[in-house]
Amino acid sequence: MKRFLTSESVAEGHPDKICDQISDAVLDELLKQDPHSRVACETFITRGLVIVGGEITTQGYVELNDLVRQILKEIGYTKEFGLEPDTIGVLNAISQQSPDIAQGVNRGGAGDQGTMIGYATNETPERMPLPIMLAHKLMHRLAYVRKNKILPYLGPDGKAQVTVEYEGNRPLHVSCIVLSFQHTPDILDDTGMSITDTARDEAISTIIKPVLGDWLDEPTRYFINPTGKFVIGGPISDTGMTGRKVIVDTYGSTVPHGGGAFSGKDPTKVDRSAAYMARYLAKNIVEAGLADRILISLSYSIGVAEPVAIDVNTLGTGKIPDQRLRDIIKKQFDLTPRGIIDYFDLLRPIYRQTACCGHFGRPELPWEKTDAIDVFLKAA
């Protein structure tokens, strides 16, 4: 049976991703100064204004004006693309963490309730779904081409969407690609309403084919800046908020999402840390050859350390019963917030790098390690 799965990724200059980066940069700076900082930082950006709010308890200090403007400069915003980092307004709306929440966290309990999802599949070397990995790779390539001025007209904002055709669970090819990128006006055609055919061809040959070449074939459809032009982008064209790209951050459209966003939250918030542990467990089970695909759910109650529910679903691909995998997880791994924090050494400034192109499938991150393979094999 044929089916089609689609996933998107967005560039570092996308308004929502600007906000994720600011929130995680605040978290990183505070953890650098005070590893026990409690941070729940949210950012909102619009034309000429950034609002940073949330609840923070820390011995550290962040100069928000400098931090926000530095991030906008690093992303690549300038007057040419409608945003001047040195003149944008920055509003500090941060308060202290509620003592009612803090008392539960202080004794080792979860910082909130919720269900966190972990997933892994053997269809890619990263043990991630193919559509989301290809979309992320397009955004990495877009940033590289822009920052190295290979296509000098590119701006910081952009999006990609990749549709993969499957035969059962086997990916066949990329059936459709949508690529939208901010640009300067000099690549518009004579109508002034659309980019030139030359610019479209350059996008395909310079951005898409170097990344997706093996998955492309004659029927692949390309939609390059399908609205016509994309001169006005970033916060000038759309507001941004922390946590609005949770599907981009995780597994694309392939599996469900627990609902909680990651960026701006310290690891006592299980929205973040338990999602990392669930991914780690899933990836190691697939790497151990005990399943081809697996979905793990960890559910928590605020103020309670141990998860209230653990669910394992190998989606019909398990080599041993799902219940057996669940028992191994429960016996071999500490799933409390403190246990997860210690396991991955999470009280350190490693989070801003996660704010673009996904939190998973990146070998440099501690929850992507595959050092629990033997644990599963011996226990199984």
Side-chain angles (χ1 to χ4, degrees), residues 148-193:
N148 287 276
K149 300 191 182 302
I150 298 170
L151 298 179
Y153 48 77
L154 294 176
D157 200 355
K159 303 176 78 171
Q161 184 172 279
V162 177
T163 300
V164 175
E165 181 180 354
Y166 286 76
E167 181 74 52
N169 293 315
R170 183 172 66 91
L172 300 177
H173 74 121
V174 171
S175 65
C176 181
I177 298 168
V178 182
L179 179 64
S180 299
F181 52 84
Q182 187 182 11
H183 58 85
T184 54
D186 52 294
I187 61 165
L188 294 175
D189 62 17
D190 293 338
T191 70
M193 300 301 293

Side-chain angles (χ1 to χ4, degrees), residues 20-72:
D20 285 346
Q21 289 174 85
I22 292 171
S23 294
D24 271 338
V26 170
L27 172 63
D28 277 354
E29 182 58 34
L30 292 177
L31 288 176
K32 190 186 305 181
Q33 300 175 42
D34 175 11
H36 300 289
S37 297
R38 299 279 172 76
V39 181
C41 181
E42 308 281 348
T43 304
F44 169 86
I45 191 168
T46 188
R47 183 189 295 258
L49 178 65
V50 177
I51 301 174
V52 183
E55 298 77 45
I56 296 177
T57 301
T58 183
Q59 298 299 312
Y61 174 76
V62 175
E63 178 49 66
L64 273 178
N65 282 6
D66 293 346
L67 182 142
V68 168
R69 290 175 176 141
Q70 182 61 35
I71 289 173
L72 292 172

Side-chain angles (χ1 to χ4, degrees), residues 134-363:
L134 294 181
H136 286 328
K137 288 178 179 180
L138 279 177
M139 289 296 93
H140 280 298
R141 179 64 182 173
L142 180 68
Y144 177 84
V145 170
R146 172 174 65 89
K147 291 181 176 180
N148 287 276
K149 300 191 182 302
I150 298 170
L151 298 179
Y153 48 77
L154 294 176
D157 200 355
K159 303 176 78 171
Q161 184 172 279
V162 177
T163 300
V164 175
E165 181 180 354
Y166 286 76
E167 181 74 52
N169 293 315
R170 183 172 66 91
L172 300 177
H173 74 121
V174 171
S175 65
C176 181
I177 298 168
V178 182
L179 179 64
S180 299
F181 52 84
Q182 187 182 11
H183 58 85
T184 54
D186 52 294
I187 61 165
L188 294 175
D189 62 17
D190 293 338
T191 70
M193 300 301 293
S194 183
I195 61 173
T196 63
D197 291 339
T198 299
R200 282 193 184 87
D201 292 342
E202 287 177 338
I204 294 171
S205 63
T206 308
I207 300 170
I208 295 175
K209 286 188 174 180
V211 174
L212 274 63
D214 292 341
W215 293 100
L216 305 174
D217 53 24
E218 191 63 32
T220 302
R221 294 179 296 159
Y222 300 90
F223 296 92
I224 311 299
N225 280 18
T227 63
K229 64 177 182 178
F230 190 179
V231 174
I232 302 172
I236 305 303
S237 64
D238 194 8
T239 58
M241 293 182 68
T242 300
R244 285 207 299 201
K245 288 291 179 286
V246 293
I247 300 300
V248 173
D249 289 339
T250 52
Y251 307 101
S253 61
T254 304
V255 297
H257 189 283
F262 300 154
S263 289
K265 296 177 181 176
D266 76 82
T268 66
K269 281 74 172 173
V270 285
D271 307 67
R272 184 165 216 159
S273 53
Y276 293 163
M277 176 55 85
R279 161 64 179 173
Y280 173 79
L281 296 170
K283 184 177 181 181
N284 276 269
I285 289 170
V286 169
E287 289 284 0
L290 297 177
D292 296 335
R293 295 178 294 132
I294 187 168
L295 183 70
I296 295 176
S297 302
L298 303 177
S299 300
Y300 291 80
S301 167
I302 189 170
V304 179
E306 295 286 349
V308 298
I310 303 170
D311 186 64
V312 175
N313 185 352
T314 56
L315 305 165
T317 71
K319 307 306 185 286
I320 63 174
D322 292 356
Q323 180 63 47
R324 178 68 181 135
L325 286 171
R326 179 183 178 276
D327 292 343
I328 293 170
I329 290 170
K330 196 170 182 180
K331 182 178 181 180
Q332 298 290 337
F333 296 91
D334 185 346
L335 303 180
T336 66
R338 283 180 180 170
I340 297 170
I341 288 168
D342 290 343
Y343 197 83
F344 296 131
D345 188 18
L346 294 180
L347 297 179
R348 53 193 172 115
I350 60 172
Y351 297 104
R352 186 186 164 191
Q353 63 184 310
T354 68
C356 290
C357 295
H359 293 241
F360 307 122
R362 303 167 64 169

